[in-house]
């Protein structure tokens, strides 16, 4: 049996065992890693036979590394046609055998140097120069992540134009991209990572933010954009680095990144970390840790097998922030109010120190096989199986009978409570083919493939009942922290103080996904490319309402097209226009339940038109700009005449301009500069208060961020960052305004010698008080005060 076939059987076994019993994923990884001993054997490789592919026209393609040999048939075609492939697709000349690295490093493959990345495979599923991608795209590199040293995944996106951070109810990552809010458009190595939790960056090689509908590559949702984490892999690069950190609020963090090539056929890497910390807010704390071993096998020069397992835990206080301030006569969009802070104190906790918690334990296994058939065709097959155990419980400021969570006299604030379990198992398999060939004088890069997935889980929400027998309790807004008991009942059907019946969710669901896509990049000449593609998605969802024992089913068949024209007046510059569509099924971002109303709703539609330009001003400096029109339609509106049902006539329109400059301005000066103007408006009412003309939640008109790092000497460097975020609204009813803010961050870096490195970073240098995000009018998060972190790293 060839090693490719053997690897395929191992991959199938891993996928099967993950489906049957995810608790055994560690065992699957152990079995896969044990098999590395076979692949590590030179004798075993000596007996392997080349993979046999189908007969297809001969072409000229880019070699993956210096070991690849010229295809003589392709060379003959070039000679007979009188055409020569352009630089990025030219065949390397045959060379004599010489010692080669295990494989090109991740940085080498993407042309990443410092804050600059030249290419990525995230947008098109094949490694493509960013200047040739007709879509707005931001790459945050490993060095920028390290230098800024922010505590959360979404924090680093504050330097990305057109992206706003959503509070996520204090228990998850959530972003608003181009006016579209989502807690599900998160991916890891191109696989959907859609459960609501906080992610860490200890094993992140880079973060890619794609803006605009991206269904062709990523499937459902992705209406405003997506965020993908590319993880560190065992690429054969020798690295042994231990890092220790301490800082404000009792922060303590240690990590280890260790990896190397074991021999010419096997490489391994291990990333592990632990962090514990208190927080800026009273009674807040976090504890998180993770371990991520990876192995890469290289049976021959044209095949790679990548195996990965991760165990990750994040536990912290669930903090829903502060309420808004009530006004005499109430608040309206014409008379908006502001957030409330008792005596200006942004650290006051509106919750319960003993009850508020958010816990997530995630286990993920990946197996990826890549093979180049050496005739223009390459393939990547990957499987990810993930188990998410997610629970959060909170006491938080809520509405009730007050005109705002804090009454106009500042004597009362309402608190509510609930707990929520959202466990899920994901299994996805992706197969992606890339074929490079010619039809006459026209070059084609054709991408086609499939994705199959199954997602199952439970969604259980239990309302909290306070000692007064209702689901709200009144507190003094100047001493709002709650220390009493709460009874979280399984199915609360009583009537609260608003006279509203509040049943809990209790759903068991399953979603099957079958998808196929086709994309063709047609290169008429060096100066003109046409990109066309489409994706078909079939979603088969079933949800059992455990309260009523009623099972509901729904199937959606969706076609998402994409087209673009790309002009290249010079090799380092592109001007493009692009059109794309994405859909979001009626079950929503988290598809955790179905009811009679959502069962009959058609999917939401996101339609985007974009014109942009990208220019490599110098080999390590990229300027990008775009203007766009994003129309979101078919948003559900509650039917006032038919409770529980909806009218599909809500819509929003986002029009914007964005620009960025990223990379090396000089050899000593690195910069990431971004600006966005975003006009996101409600164009058709989605409720009685969310009406045409309102601005979309958390989206400012103007957003500006600039991070600069200057290398003064080989030893010393320093960085300064500034963030400006214009005023916005806590929700789309526009009744609670969040003032604009300016924040300054900084860092000092010392490369002491070949082994030791140290850095000091300061977030919010001037300790500016500001409102950073929200999850509605009465859950508003203040920005973190001045935060200092000191870090030392040792390479050995």
């Amino acid at each position: 049996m060839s090693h490719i076939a053997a690897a395929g059987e191992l991959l199938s076994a891993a996928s099967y065992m993950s489906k049957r019993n995810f608790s055994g994923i560690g065992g699957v990884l152990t079995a896969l890693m044990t098999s590395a001993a076979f692949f590590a054997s030179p004798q075993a490789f000596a007996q392997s036979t080349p993979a046999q592919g189908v007969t297809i026209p001969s072409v000229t393609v880019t070699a993956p590394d210096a070991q690849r040999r010229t295809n003589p048939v392709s060379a003959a075609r070039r000679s007979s046609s009188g055409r020569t492939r352009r630089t990025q697709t030219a065949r390397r000349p045959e060379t004599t055998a010489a010692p080669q690295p295990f494989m090109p490093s991740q940085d080498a493959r993407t042309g990443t140097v410092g804050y600059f990345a030249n290419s990525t495979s995230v947008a098109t599923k094949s490694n493509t120069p960013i200047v040739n991608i007709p879509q707005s795209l931001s790459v945050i590199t490993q060095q920028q992540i390290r230098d800024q040293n922010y505590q959360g995944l979404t924090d680093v996106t504050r330097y990305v134009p057109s992206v706003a951070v959503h509070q996520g109810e204090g228990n998850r990552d959530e972003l608003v991209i181009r006016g579209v809010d989502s807690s599900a458009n998160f991916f890891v190595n191109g696989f959907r990572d859609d459960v609501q939790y906080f992610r860490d960056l200890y094993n992140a090689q880079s973060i890619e933010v794609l803006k605009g509908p991206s269904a062709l590559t990523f499937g459902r949702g992705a209406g405003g954009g997506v965020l993908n984490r590319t993880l560190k892999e065992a690429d054969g690069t020798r690295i042994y680095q231990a890092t220790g950190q301490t800082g404000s609020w009792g922060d303590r963090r240690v990590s280890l990144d260790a990896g190397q090539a074991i021999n010419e056929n096997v490489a391994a890497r291990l990333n592990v970390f632990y962090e514990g910390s208190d927080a800026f807010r009273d009674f807040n704390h976090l504890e998180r840790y993770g371990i991520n071993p990876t192995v890469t096998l290289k049976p021959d020069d044209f095949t790679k097998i990548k195996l990965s397992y991760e165990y990750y835990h994040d536990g912290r206080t669930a903090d829903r922030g502060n309420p808004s301030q009530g006004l005499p006569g109430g608040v309206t969009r014409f008379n908006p109010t502001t957030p409330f802070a008792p005596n200006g104190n942004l650290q006051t906790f509106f919750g319960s120190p003993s009850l508020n918690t958010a816990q997530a334990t995630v286990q993920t296994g990946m197996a990826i096989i890549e093979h180049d058939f050496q005739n223009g065709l390459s393939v990547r097959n990957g499987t990810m199986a993930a188990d998410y155990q997610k629970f959060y419980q909170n006491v938080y400021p809520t509405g009730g009978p007050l005109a705002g969570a804090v009454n106009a006299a500042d004597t009362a604030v309402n608190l509510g409570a609930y707990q929520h379990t959202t466990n899920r198992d994901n299994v996805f398999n992706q197969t992606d083919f890339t074929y490079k060939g010619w039809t006459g004088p026209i070059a084609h890069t054709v991408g086609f493939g499939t994705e199959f997935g199954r997602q199952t889980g439970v969604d259980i929400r239990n309302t909290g009942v306070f000692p007064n027998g209702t689901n709200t309790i009144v507190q003094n807004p100047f001493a709002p922290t709650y220390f009493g008991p709460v009874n979280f009942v399984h199915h609360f059907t009583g009537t609260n103080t608003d006279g509203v019946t509040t049943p809990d969710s209790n759903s068991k669901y399953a979603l099957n996904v079958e998808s196929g896509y086709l994309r063709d990049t047609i290169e008429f000449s060096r100066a003109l490319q046409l990109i066309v593609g489409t994706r078909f998605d079939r979603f088969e969802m079933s949800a059992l309402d455990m309260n009523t024992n009623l099972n509901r089913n729904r199937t959606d068949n969706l076609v998402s097209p994409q087209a673009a024209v790309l002009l290249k007046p010079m090799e380092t510059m592109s001007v493009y226009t692009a059109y794309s569509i994405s859909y979001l099924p009626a079950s929503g971002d988290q598809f955790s339940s179905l009811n009679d109303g959502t069962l009959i709703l058609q999917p939401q539609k996101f339609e985007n038109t974009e014109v942009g330009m990208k220019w490599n001003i110098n080999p390590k400096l990229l300027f990008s700009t775009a203007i766009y029109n994003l129309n979101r339609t078919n948003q559900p509106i509650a039917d006032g005449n038919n409770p529980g049902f909806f009218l599909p006539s809500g819509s929003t329109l986002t029009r914007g301009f964005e620009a960025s400059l990223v990379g090396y301005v000089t050899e000593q000066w690195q910069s990431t500069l971004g600006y966005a103007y975003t006009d996101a408006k409600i164009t058709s009412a989605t409720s009685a208060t969310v009406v045409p003309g309102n601005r979309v939640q958390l989206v400012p008109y103007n957003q500006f961020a600039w991070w600069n790092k200057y290398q003064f000497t080989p030893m010393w460097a320093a960085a300064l960052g500034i963030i400006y975020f214009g005023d916005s609204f806590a929700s789309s009813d526009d009744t609670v305004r969040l003032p604009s803010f300016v924040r300054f961050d900084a860092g000092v870096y010392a490369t002491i010698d070949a082994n030791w490195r140290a850095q000091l970073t300061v977030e919010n240098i001037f300790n500016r008080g500001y409102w950073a995000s929200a999850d509605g009018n009465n859950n508003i998060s203040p920005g973190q005060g001045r935060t200092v972190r000191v870090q030392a790293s040792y390479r050995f």
Side-chain angles (χ1 to χ4, degrees), residues 60-143:
T60 302
V61 297
T62 303
D65 53 48
Q67 293 180 350
R68 183 173 298 181
R69 295 176 172 82
T70 302
N71 184 330
V73 180
S74 298
R77 179 186 175 97
R78 286 201 309 276
S79 176
S80 63
S81 67
R83 295 181 58 87
T84 302
R85 289 286 280 163
R86 282 160 285 285
T87 302
Q88 68 268 28
T89 57
R91 174 73 65 185
R92 295 176 182 169
E94 185 172 359
T95 59
T96 58
Q100 299 293 335
F102 176 81
M103 58 188 286
S105 69
Q106 289 178 279
D107 284 346
R109 293 202 304 273
T110 57
T112 298
V113 182
Y115 299 167
F116 172 80
N118 182 68
S119 67
T120 179
S121 60
V122 172
T124 63
K125 298 203 172 188
S126 63
N127 196 19
T128 305
I130 293 175
V131 75
N132 289 346
I133 298 173
Q135 183 175 3
S136 187
L137 166 68
S138 298
V139 178
I140 305 169
T141 67
Q142 182 183 3
Q143 187 178 116

Side-chain angles (χ1 to χ4, degrees), residues 280 322 340-348 478 769 771:
F280 165 70
N322 288 33
F340 174 85
N343 298 318
N345 184 0
L346 299 179
Q347 295 177 279
T348 302
F478 293 92
W771 299 99

Side-chain angles (χ1 to χ4, degrees), residues 498-575:
D498 292 325
V500 178
T501 299
T502 311
D504 289 341
S505 66
N506 190 358
S507 176
K508 185 177 182 180
Y509 60 87
L511 176 70
N512 293 321
V513 181
E514 300 101 34
S515 306
Y517 74 92
L518 173 66
R519 175 195 287 112
D520 189 5
T521 299
I522 307 168
E523 191 172 354
F524 295 98
S525 68
R526 183 199 62 78
L528 176 62
Q529 295 180 19
L530 172 66
I531 299 97
V532 292
T534 190
R535 180 182 177 114
F536 172 79
D537 291 287
R538 180 178 176 86
F539 305 103
E540 300 172 328
M541 182 175 176
S542 63
L544 175 63
D545 186 336
M546 303 294 287
N547 288 331
T548 62
N549 205 33
L550 180 62
N551 191 66
R552 297 179 177 90
N553 298 274
R554 178 185 173 92
T555 299
D556 287 293
N557 296 303
L558 305 175
V559 177
S560 303
Q562 187 179 82
V565 176
L566 189 142
L567 302 175
K568 299 195 68 177
M570 63 181 74
E571 187 62 36
T572 57
M573 179 185 290
S574 66
V575 179

Side-chain angles (χ1 to χ4, degrees), residues 630-652:
L630 174 59
N631 193 24
R632 180 180 188 177
T633 56
N634 207 33
Q635 292 177 262
I637 303 172
D639 185 349
N641 298 319
N642 195 0
F645 289 81
F646 303 88
L647 302 173
S649 56
S651 63
T652 62

Side-chain angles (χ1 to χ4, degrees), residues 543-768:
L544 175 63
D545 186 336
M546 303 294 287
N547 288 331
T548 62
N549 205 33
L550 180 62
N551 191 66
R552 297 179 177 90
N553 298 274
R554 178 185 173 92
T555 299
D556 287 293
N557 296 303
L558 305 175
V559 177
S560 303
Q562 187 179 82
V565 176
L566 189 142
L567 302 175
K568 299 195 68 177
M570 63 181 74
E571 187 62 36
T572 57
M573 179 185 290
S574 66
V575 179
Y576 67 88
T577 181
Y579 175 83
S580 57
I581 290 177
S582 290
Y583 292 94
L584 178 65
S587 49
D589 262 351
Q590 293 299 322
F591 61 86
S592 55
S593 63
L594 285 172
N595 57 44
D596 291 338
T598 57
L599 192 65
I600 61 175
L601 274 177
Q602 293 304 304
Q604 295 184 46
K605 181 180 180 181
F606 303 85
E607 186 176 14
N608 186 74
T609 304
E610 181 172 327
V611 177
M613 188 267 280
K614 298 178 182 180
W615 179 25
N616 279 121
I617 298 173
N618 66 47
K620 295 186 292 184
L621 183 66
L622 177 66
F623 172 75
S624 303
T625 187
I627 57 174
Y628 62 89
N629 188 98
L630 174 59
N631 193 24
R632 180 180 188 177
T633 56
N634 207 33
Q635 292 177 262
I637 303 172
D639 185 349
N641 298 319
N642 195 0
F645 289 81
F646 303 88
L647 302 173
S649 56
S651 63
T652 62
L653 177 63
T654 305
R655 293 172 172 169
F657 163 80
E658 59 190 46
S660 65
L661 182 69
V662 179
Y664 284 81
V665 181
T666 70
E667 285 302 311
Q668 292 77 35
W669 178 17
Q670 295 191 71
S671 175
T672 64
L673 171 66
Y675 168 77
Y677 173 82
T678 311
D679 183 9
K681 294 287 182 62
I682 306 297
T683 53
S684 179
T686 57
S687 74
T689 56
V690 180
V691 297
N694 282 14
R695 290 168 58 186
V696 173
Q697 173 193 29
L698 298 176
V699 182
Y701 283 124
N702 293 286
Q703 182 181 355
F704 173 84
W706 194 6
W707 176 269
N708 296 273
K709 181 184 178 184
Y710 195 86
Q711 193 74 41
F712 292 97
T713 69
M715 179 177 179
W716 291 101
L720 178 66
I722 179 174
I723 296 171
Y724 169 77
F725 198 82
D727 67 352
S728 62
F729 289 96
S731 75
S732 296
D733 65 8
D734 290 7
T735 61
V736 180
R737 182 187 298 272
L738 307 182
S740 63
F741 67 86
V742 177
R743 193 185 85 190
F744 290 88
D745 305 328
V748 178
Y749 313 95
T751 304
I752 300 168
D753 57 29
N755 303 107
W756 284 99
R757 181 185 182 276
Q759 70 177 48
L760 179 148
T761 55
V762 184
E763 179 181 332
N764 195 3
I765 299 172
F766 300 110
N767 202 29
R768 166 90 181 242

